[in-house]
Amino acid sequence: MRLKVLMVSAAALAACLPGVVAAQAPQSQEPDVIVDQGRIRAFQIAVANFSGQYGSELSGVIRSDLRRTGYFEPLDPASFVETGLTLANAPNFPQWTSIGAQAVLYGSVTPRSDGRNDFGFRLYDPYRQCQLVSYQFTATPEQWRRIGHKIADMVYSRMTGESGLFDSRVIFVAESGTQLNRVSRLAISDQDGVNPEFLTTGEEVIMSPRFSLSDPNEITYVGLGKDYSRIYLLNLQTQRRESLGEFDGQVLAPRFSNDGTKMAFSIIRNGNTDVYVMDLASRQVRRLTNDPGIDTSPSFSPDNSQIVFTSDRSGSARLYTMRADGSGQRPISRGGGIYTAPSWSPRGDLIAFTKQGGGRFSTGVMNTDGSGERILSSSYFEEGPSWAPNGRYIMFARQSPGGDTRLWTVDLSGRVVNQSGYNGRGTDPSWSPLLDDAPVRPGSGGPDACPN
């Protein structure tokens, strides 16, 4: 007998979320049931509308954040049996298990005398009848959307054991106009595409915007004019902009070291393109590569000891790594096709890249030695992968035939692919680190807390 069963396997879950161990099942003596297809079922979570100012909108942000991960399925509030939840009481657990809720989140927005609001919430497991986490934020009423992202981060962290990604922003190149009269501007938005803002006026061609991973207020980008190319530093908090100086040649693809002390980039000079590094304190520049090929798109490893970059020195663009001082250069990509735009994961375990081959463009990842290459997404055109702060999702630009270029995300399983909420044309995204220097860590929340 052959029975097709739709279910999540431990191995599939382990591949998607670290910390989940796939157990080995004993061999059956009568293999008459064969599971030939698996499917991960999203976690059913009930997010009740918060009470108070902007409460329902805040809850909508939480639902949207969790749904986009692919691992949560917020239930329709119309299905809720119990209403009027308050922070003073636990939910009626049977009424939530009756609708299949595996977790229940609710909270309130309470005004303070100083004009700010208290945003409190509780997360419960209705099956084990215990509290998973509770917390309270204090912020101005206008910050309700960011508080929604922060609560979603805490829920995601408590349920998956990983750090969050929602309280972050994205910078990118926003495009408008026609093919012959294209205008590019530096833009920034929340990670879900909401609250877009233009940071430049369109007088320069904007390329390669990148966040500093040590300070979410510091960014770099290239501005091209009629007779110049410059690498700029821009502080988002103070709006102070400065140029790194004039270079003999066109500059490309700047990227901060992960401690924010150095900048790696390429210079096209006398028909040759090589990788350089600048000490940002002294502004001293050192050349790291020196060969006839095109060496570009450097990206530091999280510990700043290595750099991955693209080079066509062997005849076709491949990925190479080298030590941060330029020594030990070696190729790591092993497959056919053209490899570009490498980006080292903030977790340090993977390198993302764009690959061109077979008439299509793909977004993929590989181990840092080039092994274990996996393609996560393929389409007519896509490029420029950038990691989420927790290293589990990648944002990139994608274009359909005859269509506009938009921002998309994919998770490491390749199963969850979503278009960003930004409605305009966008390319070359860069995902910020979490906005708080010290992200909130969810605690136990009381004597009735569920065991981890």
Side-chain angles (χ1 to χ4, degrees):
M1 178 179 67
R2 186 178 180 87
L3 176 65
K4 179 178 288 189
V5 181
L6 296 178
M7 60 179 290
V8 58
S9 71
L13 187 58
C16 297
L17 294 175
V20 179
V21 179
Q24 296 296 321
Q27 291 186 344
S28 171
Q29 298 300 316
E30 298 181 1
D32 57 345
V33 176
I34 301 174
V35 178
D36 68 353
Q37 187 175 358
R39 178 168 59 90
I40 296 177
R41 182 182 178 188
F43 193 86
Q44 308 291 296
I45 183 170
V47 181
N49 285 337
F50 282 39
S51 63
Q53 185 181 22
Y54 298 118
S56 60
E57 293 90 344
L58 183 151
S59 299
V61 168
I62 298 171
R63 294 187 197 104
S64 178
D65 281 347
L66 296 177
R67 181 179 289 110
R68 288 198 319 277
T69 68
Y71 299 112
F72 294 87
E73 181 55 46
L75 298 174
D76 184 352
S79 69
F80 297 172
V81 177
E82 184 179 20
T83 58
L85 291 164
T86 67
L87 294 178
N89 298 296
N92 185 319
F93 298 119
Q95 292 191 3
W96 295 99
T97 57
S98 69
I99 63 171
Q102 296 170 282
V104 182
L105 174 71
Y106 61 96
S108 65
V109 183
T110 307
R112 295 164 55 103
S113 59
D114 60 5
R116 296 181 296 168
N117 285 339
D118 287 333
F119 300 82
F121 75 93
R122 292 179 182 269
L123 179 68
Y124 275 90
D125 181 334
Y127 286 92
R128 292 190 290 173
Q129 300 189 4
C130 55
Q131 181 177 280
L132 290 162
V133 64
S134 66
Y135 202 80
Q136 179 175 291
F137 296 96
T138 300
T140 62
E142 295 77 18
Q143 292 180 296
W144 64 268
R145 172 172 283 278
R146 186 178 175 199
I147 296 301
H149 292 319
K150 295 178 76 66
I151 293 174
D153 273 335
M154 294 187 72
V155 173
Y156 179 91
S157 180
R158 182 62 176 89
M159 303 307 295
T160 69
E162 297 204 339
S163 60
L165 67 154
F166 305 117
D167 185 29
S168 59
R169 293 185 289 181
V170 176
I171 53 173
F172 56 96
V173 177
E175 295 185 343
S176 59
T178 65
Q179 189 75 17
L180 297 178
N181 188 24
R182 181 175 298 179
V183 176
S184 66
R185 290 181 288 181
L186 180 65
I188 188 169
S189 72
D190 295 347
Q191 51 77 29
D192 56 1
V194 178
N195 296 325
E197 178 184 355
F198 298 117
L199 304 177
T200 61
T201 61
E203 296 177 356
E204 296 176 308
V205 175
I206 304 300
M207 299 172 58
S208 305
R210 294 291 182 268
F211 270 103
S212 167
L213 297 185
S214 64
D215 184 350
N217 286 310
E218 288 287 339
I219 65 173
T220 184
Y221 66 95
V222 171
L224 298 181
K226 291 182 179 180
D227 56 358
Y228 66 86
S229 65
R230 294 174 184 150
I231 298 176
Y232 291 108
L233 298 179
L234 175 63
N235 186 285
L236 297 172
Q237 192 170 42
T238 65
Q239 295 300 304
R240 181 176 184 270
R241 187 179 82 157
E242 61 176 314
S243 169
L244 290 185
E246 299 298 326
F247 297 91
D248 180 18
Q250 182 175 329
V251 290
L252 299 170
R255 195 183 294 254
F256 289 97
S257 62
N258 288 278
D259 59 6
T261 63
K262 296 180 176 62
M263 182 80 70
F265 53 93
S266 293
I267 302 178
I268 304 175
R269 183 178 293 162
N270 299 323
N272 193 41
T273 305
D274 282 300
V275 175
Y276 295 75
V277 66
M278 172 185 281
D279 183 280
L280 292 177
S282 66
R283 300 298 169 93
Q284 293 297 310
V285 177
R286 183 176 52 175
R287 185 175 183 172
L288 298 185
T289 67
N290 187 4
D291 64 80
I294 298 174
D295 301 335
T296 189
S297 301
S299 174
F300 284 91
S301 62
D303 64 2
N304 302 304
S305 66
Q306 297 184 77
I307 294 174
V308 61
F309 63 102
T310 295
S311 177
D312 67 353
R313 63 185 65 178
S314 65
S316 179
R318 302 173 65 184
L319 301 189
Y320 286 70
T321 58
M322 60 182 169
R323 299 185 187 93
D325 62 2
S327 63
Q329 298 178 24
R330 65 185 186 92
I332 60 169
S333 56
R334 303 170 184 176
I338 297 173
Y339 293 82
T340 58
S343 180
W344 213 302
S345 166
R347 301 161 64 103
D349 56 340
L350 295 171
I351 293 171
F353 56 86
T354 298
K355 184 176 182 179
Q356 180 183 358
R360 294 174 69 81
F361 286 77
S362 302
T363 299
V365 294
M366 64 175 65
N367 297 327
T368 58
D369 63 358
S371 64
E373 179 178 322
R374 291 186 289 123
I375 297 301
L376 305 180
S377 170
S378 292
S379 62
Y380 170 75
F381 177 80
E382 53 191 64
E383 66 174 355
S386 176
W387 291 93
N390 67 357
R392 298 300 301 178
Y393 297 82
I394 295 171
M395 185 173 290
F396 59 97
R398 171 188 279 186
Q399 182 184 18
S400 58
D404 292 329
T405 305
R406 307 283 184 171
L407 302 182
W408 289 71
T409 59
V410 62
D411 77 324
L412 281 184
S413 72
R415 183 181 62 89
V416 184
V417 185
N418 294 310
Q419 186 175 335
S420 166
Y422 177 67
N423 291 323
R425 292 154 53 186
T427 65
D428 217 350
S430 176
W431 211 320
S432 80
L434 291 176
L435 299 183
D436 281 337
D437 292 335
V440 173
R441 302 295 182 187
S444 60
D448 62 342
C450 295
N452 288 328

